[in-house]
Amino acid sequence: MTGSNTPDQPVPQADMAAALMERLAEQLGSRVSASAVFGEPVTSDGITVIPVAEFGFGFAGGMGPEAGSANTGEGGGGAGARPRGYIEIKDGTATYKPLRVPWVNVAVPLAALMAGAVVPLLVRRLAKRRTR
């Protein structure tokens, strides 16, 4: 902290908040590594696969209106990861292959089928209105 050297004077809130945020960032940041995004490579039959995930974290903190040694503030944070794809290394060539969302495999063809059935009906109705 960058507060005064005199112990009787309260430390400014901005300095305490900055120290709290720095402490939270250090604690969460120490848990982040490349292995959280890129998993351990797996090799079989001359093909190497490296799993890829999206990883994010956030944190927040705050303190009450009274600064001092008894009020150190509070904070919290969290992290999350989800798979995004994998890198395939085969014959010296690396290729990223994204994972598809399962519902897209159903929703896109269903939407195309619905549009194919509804659009001709709408065109006929509009044509009838114009002839009247």
Side-chain angles (χ1 to χ4, degrees), residues 3 7-8 11 16 20 27 29 32 34 37 45 47 53 61 64 76 86 103 111 119:
D8 294 342
V11 178
M16 288 188 67
L20 175 63
Q27 289 176 356
V32 177
V37 176
D45 297 328
I47 299 173
Y86 59 95
W103 66 268
V119 169

Side-chain angles (χ1 to χ4, degrees), residues 1 3 7 14 16 18 22 27 37-38 40-41 46 54 57 64 68 72 100 107-109 115 122 127-128 131:
M1 285 188 236
M16 288 188 67
E22 184 177 318
Q27 289 176 356
V37 176
F38 299 104
E40 295 297 322
E54 178 182 12
F57 71 95
T72 58
R100 290 185 51 133
V108 170
L122 291 174
K128 283 182 182 179
T131 58

Side-chain angles (χ1 to χ4, degrees), residues 3-5 27 29 44 52 75 87 116 121 128 130:
S4 173
N5 292 335
Q27 289 176 356
S44 178
V52 177
I87 299 170
L121 295 173
K128 283 182 182 179
R130 286 187 180 178

